Amino acid sequence: MAEQLGRAASDVDVVLDYLWGRPTADALRAIVPARHDDDQKLTWVQIGSVAGTESPIPSAALRATRLDIVGSGQGSVPATRIVAELGELLDEVAAGHFTSDVLTMPLSQVGQAWLTGTHGTQRVVLVA
């Protein structure tokens, strides 16, 4: 299994890691030695911790390739950068470049909103 993972991921640029824990350490042990180009940066994005909140990262992985481990979540991007992008994001939404499957309900029906079933990707949005 490790050999297959190493071959499959030998040229990847970014890994989105929802597991963390032991699987991350095992994956790094498989992927790093299989890299074709040690100068090619590998960005490991830690998103979740389904398999554990701590991971025993092998020190050789940090020395053997251009590995960047970064987090994704609140705090990983400064609030000032998020606020700076909001205007452009709102412009894109207003221009219709983003669509959402929503069911709008008045705020006065918040109790009913909790009980409302949605389908697929539909979301309930409460409006004043």
Side-chain angles (χ1 to χ4, degrees):
M1 178 74 149
E3 188 176 323
Q4 290 174 322
L5 177 60
R7 277 196 312 270
S10 63
D11 288 324
V12 300
D13 295 316
V14 177
V15 173
L16 303 178
D17 183 353
Y18 290 87
L19 301 178
W20 203 242
R22 174 64 61 183
T24 294
D26 292 344
L28 283 167
R29 282 186 186 91
I31 294 169
V32 169
R35 305 276 294 161
H36 294 301
D37 181 0
D38 290 337
D39 289 333
Q40 178 184 357
K41 185 164 95 170
L42 173 60
T43 302
W44 201 278
V45 184
Q46 199 285 317
I47 298 170
S49 53
V50 173
T53 58
E54 296 182 11
S55 181
I57 303 299
S59 61
L62 299 173
R63 295 187 309 267
T65 195
R66 289 184 55 210
L67 175 64
D68 286 348
I69 300 175
V70 298
S72 176
Q74 289 184 343
S76 64
V77 176
T80 54
R81 282 188 52 200
I82 294 171
V83 170
E85 297 295 327
L86 285 179
E88 186 176 340
L89 176 61
L90 289 175
D91 290 343
E92 293 294 316
V93 170
H97 296 139
F98 291 95
T99 58
S100 299
D101 184 10
V102 297
L103 170 63
T104 57
M105 297 181 73
L107 184 57
S108 61
Q109 294 181 7
V110 66
Q112 179 62 36
W114 278 106
L115 302 174
T116 299
T118 58
H119 304 285
T121 59
Q122 187 179 47
R123 299 291 182 251
V124 174
V125 175
L126 298 170
V127 294

